Amino acid sequence: MKQRLLLFSCCIGSFLFGAFITNDDPKKPLTSEMVEVAARVFDLEFSPAERDSMLGNLNNARTNYEALRKIDLPNNVAPALYFNPLPAGFVMPTGPSSFKESAPGKVTLPVNRDELAFYTVGQLGQLIRTKQISSVELTQFFLNRLKTYDPKLHCVITLTEDLALSQAKRADDELKAGKYRGPLHGIPYGAKDLLAKKGYKTTWGATPYKDQTLDMDATVIQRLEKAGAVLCGKMTLGALAMGDVWYGGMTRNPWNTNNGSSGSSAGSASSVSAGLLPFAIGTETMGSIVSPSTICGTTGLRPTFGRVSRHGAMALSWSMDKIGPITRSVEDCALVFNAIYGPDGNDPTVMAAPFRYAPLTSLKGMRIGYVKKGFESNYPNRANDSLTLQTLRTLGAELVPFDLPTGVPAGRISFLLTVEAAAAFDELTRSGRDDLLTSQGRGAWPNAFRSSRFVPAVEYIQANRARTKLINEMDAQLKAAKIDVYVSPAYAGGNLTITNLTGHPCVVLPNGFSKQNLPTSITFMGQLFEEGKVLAVAKAYQDATEWNKKHPTLQ
């Protein structure tokens, strides 16, 4: 084990202190002087007598930590404490689920087959259902595009070609036999490579795990297979779900391949944007669906925390990780989400709630909030976002000023993420294998993991108590405004941090281009478990614009 300047470190749910010591004897008993130095790290002050009284407890605690570290705790073992996003008095939606897809109209096979690259899931589903094209043909088409353009975009970690062709053949055989699984039947897709699939590597985008195989299928992959979807590839992610740099390089933005695609759902967004796949699965802990969708001009759904099972997915933050689709249209997000949501018996944080979706013919009379302080601030995408508000007014919506809660500074408690991540990758840090990660800067995971070990367990608990207050304040703000849906700048105004902490659902979609001719985005937000409402409103806006129909040109 690498010798570090850590005497003993943060352990959630345990008594905690840290201290700086020399490397000559890391096992020697703590002294009053060591405790004094450690206390300074946490802005605490104890008298010599108080420090002396603590020594017995602290030395015993260190013995406990040593014993704890001998217990095998792989990444898929969650803490016994589960995050619950429900505010006080919240009433869970009840009743049956319902799903009404838009009338597809007449969909025909294009003369130029290359145009299939940018057909929506709904359109491709119609072509397969009406047997204008087979799943095998469509799968081969997208596999060829992945092979052709991945050397330029670096968006694929593992191409699952054999699996894809066998799943596509099964889809075709079933359709011939009269068995139709629904709108995803025979549709190719990609999965972020933190989702396990038997027989294939699950690398988490990180050098220490690049040869890792997990003998399981993630629940999301199981459910997509049940829906008839065809897995074509494991897509790139920034190492351990940060950014767009993985052990094979940097995933590129199809709109400008000199730029990265952002992350951490880097390959999922890049591939969909470039027309290499009809849809892909991403995850978000703090912006990992919103950010790459913004950069790449895709449409993404970050569901309510507790909506989609994370069984078989890499854990980064047990109280913040969420799984959702990245697609070309809002309704495609609805189609995919309809296949993957709901309890599975393996992820205890997932709650049963209906999903009800139906397209809106009009926004007339609907009260839609907008984050006033965010829209009025000075930020790069302000002009495009202002036009989004005008479009909503034109569609008949009543725009209501909405203020995000201010009682709890969300940025001050967002260290919850890095503390949980440090626990999830505790062994990586203590073994010194964190040196193998591609990114090693001050803002990268290795430094964040090490620094997080100095967060006192008491402060972690206090931050979670403040999070409870934030959740209740957010609920109060929504009730006071009497709105179910609101819009926010993708980044300005603090909405991204707050709602990732509170667990609210978000739909991010393109709303224009920057001066550099790169996509920009807007976010639609809603109440917990009300993805259907958010998707319906976002679709009405998207149908009134053409931004999602703009595509990059790849050479």
Side-chain angles (χ1 to χ4, degrees), residues 22-41:
T22 60
N23 289 336
D24 57 347
D25 185 5
K27 299 291 187 181
K28 72 179 182 181
L30 306 179
T31 66
S32 178
E33 290 75 18
M34 292 177 184
V35 175
E36 181 181 18
V37 173
R40 292 176 189 168
V41 176

CSV table of all heavy atoms in Angstrom, one decimal, residues 22-41:
chain,number,residue,atom,x,y,z
A,22,THR,N,4.6,11.3,10.1
A,22,THR,CA,5.7,10.9,9.3
A,22,THR,C,5.5,9.5,8.8
A,22,THR,O,4.6,8.8,9.4
A,22,THR,CB,7.0,11.0,10.1
A,22,THR,OG1,6.9,10.2,11.2
A,22,THR,CG2,7.3,12.4,10.5
A,23,ASN,N,6.2,9.1,7.8
A,23,ASN,CA,6.1,7.7,7.3
A,23,ASN,C,6.9,6.6,8.0
A,23,ASN,O,6.8,5.5,7.6
A,23,ASN,CB,6.5,7.7,5.8
A,23,ASN,CG,5.5,8.5,4.9
A,23,ASN,OD1,4.3,8.7,5.3
A,23,ASN,ND2,5.9,9.0,3.8
A,24,ASP,N,7.6,7.0,9.1
A,24,ASP,CA,8.5,6.0,9.7
A,24,ASP,C,7.7,4.9,10.4
A,24,ASP,O,8.1,3.8,10.4
A,24,ASP,CB,9.5,6.7,10.6
A,24,ASP,CG,8.8,7.5,11.7
A,24,ASP,OD1,7.5,7.8,11.5
A,24,ASP,OD2,9.4,7.9,12.7
A,25,ASP,N,6.6,5.2,11.0
A,25,ASP,CA,5.8,4.2,11.8
A,25,ASP,C,4.4,4.6,11.8
A,25,ASP,O,3.9,5.2,12.7
A,25,ASP,CB,6.3,4.1,13.2
A,25,ASP,CG,5.7,3.0,14.0
A,25,ASP,OD1,4.9,2.3,13.3
A,25,ASP,OD2,5.9,2.9,15.2
A,26,PRO,N,3.6,4.2,10.7
A,26,PRO,CA,2.2,4.6,10.6
A,26,PRO,C,1.4,3.9,11.7
A,26,PRO,O,0.2,4.3,11.8
A,26,PRO,CB,1.8,4.2,9.2
A,26,PRO,CG,2.8,3.1,8.9
A,26,PRO,CD,4.1,3.5,9.6
A,27,LYS,N,1.9,3.0,12.4
A,27,LYS,CA,1.1,2.2,13.4
A,27,LYS,C,1.3,2.8,14.8
A,27,LYS,O,0.6,2.3,15.7
A,27,LYS,CB,1.5,0.7,13.4
A,27,LYS,CG,1.2,0.0,12.0
A,27,LYS,CD,-0.3,-0.1,11.7
A,27,LYS,CE,-0.5,-0.9,10.5
A,27,LYS,NZ,-1.9,-1.0,10.2
A,28,LYS,N,2.2,3.7,15.0
A,28,LYS,CA,2.4,4.1,16.4
A,28,LYS,C,1.2,4.8,16.9
A,28,LYS,O,0.4,5.5,16.2
A,28,LYS,CB,3.7,5.0,16.4
A,28,LYS,CG,3.5,6.4,15.9
A,28,LYS,CD,4.8,7.2,16.0
A,28,LYS,CE,4.7,8.6,15.5
A,28,LYS,NZ,5.9,9.3,15.7
A,29,PRO,N,1.0,4.8,18.2
A,29,PRO,CA,-0.2,5.3,18.9
A,29,PRO,C,-0.3,6.8,18.6
A,29,PRO,O,0.7,7.5,18.5
A,29,PRO,CB,-0.1,5.0,20.3
A,29,PRO,CG,0.8,3.8,20.4
A,29,PRO,CD,1.8,4.0,19.2
A,30,LEU,N,-1.5,7.4,18.6
A,30,LEU,CA,-1.7,8.8,18.4
A,30,LEU,C,-1.2,9.5,19.7
A,30,LEU,O,-1.3,9.0,20.8
A,30,LEU,CB,-3.2,9.1,18.2
A,30,LEU,CG,-3.8,8.4,17.0
A,30,LEU,CD1,-5.3,8.8,16.9
A,30,LEU,CD2,-3.1,8.7,15.7
A,31,THR,N,-0.8,10.8,19.5
A,31,THR,CA,-0.4,11.6,20.6
A,31,THR,C,-1.3,12.8,20.6
A,31,THR,O,-2.0,13.2,19.7
A,31,THR,CB,1.1,12.0,20.5
A,31,THR,OG1,1.2,12.9,19.3
A,31,THR,CG2,2.0,10.8,20.3
A,32,SER,N,-1.2,13.5,21.7
A,32,SER,CA,-2.0,14.8,21.9
A,32,SER,C,-1.6,15.8,20.8
A,32,SER,O,-2.5,16.5,20.3
A,32,SER,CB,-1.8,15.4,23.3
A,32,SER,OG,-2.5,16.6,23.4
A,33,GLU,N,-0.4,15.8,20.4
A,33,GLU,CA,0.1,16.8,19.4
A,33,GLU,C,-0.5,16.4,18.0
A,33,GLU,O,-0.9,17.3,17.3
A,33,GLU,CB,1.6,16.8,19.3
A,33,GLU,CG,2.3,17.4,20.5
A,33,GLU,CD,2.3,16.4,21.8
A,33,GLU,OE1,2.0,15.2,21.6
A,33,GLU,OE2,2.5,16.9,22.9
A,34,MET,N,-0.6,15.2,17.7
A,34,MET,CA,-1.2,14.7,16.5
A,34,MET,C,-2.7,15.2,16.4
A,34,MET,O,-3.2,15.6,15.4
A,34,MET,CB,-1.1,13.2,16.3
A,34,MET,CG,0.3,12.7,16.1
A,34,MET,SD,0.3,10.9,16.0
A,34,MET,CE,2.0,10.5,15.8
A,35,VAL,N,-3.4,15.0,17.5
A,35,VAL,CA,-4.8,15.3,17.6
A,35,VAL,C,-4.9,16.9,17.4
A,35,VAL,O,-5.9,17.3,16.7
A,35,VAL,CB,-5.4,14.9,18.9
A,35,VAL,CG1,-6.9,15.4,19.0
A,35,VAL,CG2,-5.4,13.4,19.0
A,36,GLU,N,-4.0,17.6,17.9
A,36,GLU,CA,-4.1,19.1,17.8
A,36,GLU,C,-4.0,19.5,16.3
A,36,GLU,O,-4.7,20.3,15.8
A,36,GLU,CB,-3.0,19.7,18.6
A,36,GLU,CG,-3.0,21.3,18.5
A,36,GLU,CD,-1.9,21.9,19.3
A,36,GLU,OE1,-0.9,21.2,19.7
A,36,GLU,OE2,-2.0,23.1,19.6
A,37,VAL,N,-3.0,18.9,15.6
A,37,VAL,CA,-2.9,19.2,14.2
A,37,VAL,C,-4.1,18.7,13.4
A,37,VAL,O,-4.6,19.5,12.5
A,37,VAL,CB,-1.6,18.5,13.6
A,37,VAL,CG1,-1.5,18.6,12.1
A,37,VAL,CG2,-0.4,19.0,14.3
A,38,ALA,N,-4.6,17.5,13.7
A,38,ALA,CA,-5.8,17.1,13.0
A,38,ALA,C,-7.0,18.0,13.2
A,38,ALA,O,-7.8,18.3,12.3
A,38,ALA,CB,-6.1,15.6,13.5
A,39,ALA,N,-7.2,18.5,14.4
A,39,ALA,CA,-8.3,19.3,14.8
A,39,ALA,C,-8.3,20.6,13.9
A,39,ALA,O,-9.3,21.1,13.6
A,39,ALA,CB,-8.3,19.6,16.3
A,40,ARG,N,-7.1,21.1,13.6
A,40,ARG,CA,-7.0,22.3,12.8
A,40,ARG,C,-7.6,22.1,11.4
A,40,ARG,O,-8.2,23.1,10.9
A,40,ARG,CB,-5.5,22.7,12.7
A,40,ARG,CG,-4.9,23.2,14.0
A,40,ARG,CD,-3.4,23.5,13.8
A,40,ARG,NE,-2.7,23.7,15.0
A,40,ARG,CZ,-1.4,23.8,15.2
A,40,ARG,NH1,-0.7,23.6,14.1
A,40,ARG,NH2,-0.9,24.0,16.3
A,41,VAL,N,-7.5,20.9,10.9
A,41,VAL,CA,-8.0,20.6,9.6
A,41,VAL,C,-9.5,20.8,9.6
A,41,VAL,O,-10.1,21.3,8.6
A,41,VAL,CB,-7.7,19.2,9.1
A,41,VAL,CG1,-8.3,18.8,7.8
A,41,VAL,CG2,-6.2,19.0,9.0
